[in-house]
Amino acid sequence: MEYTENTYRVPVLETLNGRSDWLTTELPTESRGGMVLSPRIDCSSLRLRQSKPGYFADWHVAGEPVLIIVQRGTLRIGLRDGETRDFSEGEAFVAADKVPEGQDFDPECHGHTAKVVSETTLRAVHIKLADM
C-alpha cells in the first residue's frame, strides 16, 4: 500500500478474464485530528500467520478478499504469465482472486502461487474483508 495525495493505493489480486492479475484500488482519505484515514472497510475475521523459509503454496485462489499485512519476511506472489511480486515487512495487499462463477478450479488456468523467499520466517496478518 502506498499513500499519495489524499489516496491510499492498494494492490489487489483479482480475477480478470478468468485469470489472476494485479489491479490497484484507490481509497479516498480524510484528515482527522492529525490522522489520515481511509473509509471503514468491514471485516469478518482475523488470522495470524507464520510460514517458514521456503514455504510454497501451489496454484490456489483466495476466494473472498483478504488483506495480507506482512510483519516480517518476504512473500512472493506468482501469476500465470510469470510475473512475480514480493511483499516485505510493512507492505500489504489484498488477495481477492477467485474461480469464475460456473467453473471448477482448474490448476492449469486459475490462481496464483505464494512462496516465502526470505531467510526468516514470514509473519503476517490476514484480515478477511466483507468487500473491497
Side-chain angles (χ1 to χ4, degrees), residues 99-107 109-110:
V99 176
E101 196 168 320
Q103 295 183 23
D104 292 326
F105 179 78
D106 180 349
C109 174
H110 300 126

Side-chain angles (χ1 to χ4, degrees), residues 1 8-12 25-30 37-46 64-69 92-94 127-132:
M1 276 190 300
Y8 276 110
R9 300 186 78 217
V10 182
V12 180
T25 294
E26 294 187 351
L27 300 173
T29 62
E30 64 177 270
L37 297 170
S38 72
R40 289 182 190 262
I41 301 170
D42 291 331
C43 309
S44 62
S45 66
L46 177 138
E64 298 176 307
V66 177
L67 173 64
I68 299 171
I69 305 167
F93 67 98
V94 174
I127 302 170
K128 189 181 279 190
L129 305 175
D131 195 20
M132 185 70 195

Side-chain angles (χ1 to χ4, degrees), residues 6-8 14 19 37 54 69 82-84 101 108 123 126 131:
N6 302 323
T7 304
Y8 276 110
E14 277 283 355
R19 301 242 175 172
L37 297 170
I69 305 167
E83 179 186 357
T84 61
E101 196 168 320
E108 300 297 318
R123 287 195 181 152
H126 289 211
D131 195 20

